[in-house]
Amino acid sequence: MNHLFKEISITNFRGFDSLIIKGLQRINIFVGANNVGKTSILEAAFMLSGMSNPLISNRVNYLRTASFTNLDSARYLFHNVDFNNKPLLKGMMNNGGIRKMTFSPVTIHNETNASSNFSTNQSAIRQLNFEFDQQENKNGFAYHSTLFVKNDGSTQQEADSNYHESLNALFIPVDKNDANATTNFSTLVKHNRKAFVTNALHDFDPSIESVEALPDGLYLKIVGLKELLPISMAGDGVRRMINILSTIASEDYNIVFIDEIDNGMHYSAHKLMWKTILKFVLAHDIQLFITTHNLDCLMGLKNAMQEEEHFRQLTHIYNIAKTRNEGYQAYCYGYSELKEAIDNEIEIRR
């Protein structure tokens, strides 16, 4: 529990000029209107979790779209695509420590002075300078890393050898990605950890007796079927759960980020999905950051917590909204607030 976030502040990152999220729990679910920045919150926290890795900026853009692979796509991390808006990401941890990071670009027209003021989005980024630290009450940052484009057009990184990362984080994007699930499940089989996923998957769908990793992919042993079923023939909900569970369990992660967890899930499976996820989090001592825009998904969560009281203290739901007078706000719902809102048909996604 010492490596979990309890508060995150985001400044000048993507669409946010400023946002503070307090009271983070083991499971944190972000809801809100379209384009309000739910995924951006996951990306900001993911960058904080891997702040010593200069490739993290490329990674978060690649997770959005595989076409954003070059260094210049980092311009979209700056609020309003304005390089004068220097991002600052800060996280308060359960153990009383902090994590903070910022980054600034050097454009192709300004390679010798990274501190000059420039806001044009026509100048290509040639280099990104990262600064990060784990100290709150000190000036500046103790650690530095760089990502830059070489003369031959390739990208190279220079990490700070004096810093040792203590967090291990994972980002699971929207797609079901059967290939990733196969690779990660095969790793579990090698390490004799297959039961972590098969037991959880059986909780989700009792008709699934086991999962088998064969040379040509994953197969499911289903009650009543004479032969194994290829994962590609399974329902979207089962495929999504296999991807999530096998990916999380394939390594000892502290924090996992899941974008649109309900993607591909039928509404009738949401309660089972949440029971499976909540039980899995308890067993593996991890923290989850999740987005959804689906009211049925929230109803499934409410029903799961209503039936299992020990799940109620694990979860906070945050409604992200842009207000006229106070800017971006994160309104926190615990179990009782979520139940009241759903039972009284109060809109909590806006």
Side-chain angles (χ1 to χ4, degrees), residues 126-140:
R126 191 74 176 181
Q127 178 173 309
L128 272 181
N129 296 322
F130 296 86
E131 300 175 280
F132 52 100
D133 209 335
Q134 292 185 324
Q135 298 293 325
E136 173 73 283
N137 298 316
K138 63 179 294 187
N139 295 325

Side-chain angles (χ1 to χ4, degrees), residues 24-38:
L24 293 168
Q25 297 291 335
R26 294 285 296 282
I27 298 180
N28 306 283
I29 303 160
F30 299 93
V31 301
N34 289 334
N35 298 317
V36 77
K38 299 184 293 294

Side-chain angles (χ1 to χ4, degrees), residues 45-167:
F46 183 53
M47 290 189 71
L48 265 179
S49 302
M51 62 186 184
S52 64
N53 181 2
L55 288 172
I56 196 73
S57 58
N58 278 12
R59 180 62 177 160
V60 296
N61 278 326
Y62 178 80
L63 290 167
R64 291 228 178 192
T65 169
S67 62
F68 281 0
T69 57
N70 61 17
L71 183 57
D72 196 54
S73 66
R75 67 176 62 250
Y76 301 111
L77 300 176
F78 293 81
H79 181 56
N80 288 339
V81 199
D82 185 341
F83 297 152
N84 287 317
N85 294 327
K86 190 173 182 178
L88 177 62
L89 309 177
K90 185 182 295 186
M92 307 299 293
M93 313 303 291
N94 276 0
N95 61 2
I98 75 149
R99 300 172 72 86
K100 63 178 182 179
M101 71 172 297
T102 187
F103 49 93
S104 57
V106 179
T107 69
I108 196 170
H109 300 300
N110 188 34
E111 295 181 356
T112 60
N113 188 358
S115 63
S116 296
N117 289 330
F118 48 85
S119 60
T120 175
N121 60 2
Q122 301 302 314
S123 300
I125 296 176
R126 191 74 176 181
Q127 178 173 309
L128 272 181
N129 296 322
F130 296 86
E131 300 175 280
F132 52 100
D133 209 335
Q134 292 185 324
Q135 298 293 325
E136 173 73 283
N137 298 316
K138 63 179 294 187
N139 295 325
F141 296 80
Y143 305 101
H144 309 269
S145 63
T146 303
L147 188 65
F148 60 94
V149 179
K150 298 172 64 177
N151 291 333
D152 63 3
S154 63
T155 302
Q156 184 169 323
Q157 60 174 318
E158 289 184 357
D160 196 319
S161 60
N162 295 315
Y163 180 83
H164 176 71
E165 184 56 74
S166 58
L167 281 183

Side-chain angles (χ1 to χ4, degrees), residues 188-201:
L188 290 173
V189 172
K190 292 177 184 177
H191 296 149
N192 198 29
R193 302 175 67 183
K194 169 183 172 180
F196 289 158
V197 172
T198 54
N199 291 342
L201 197 60

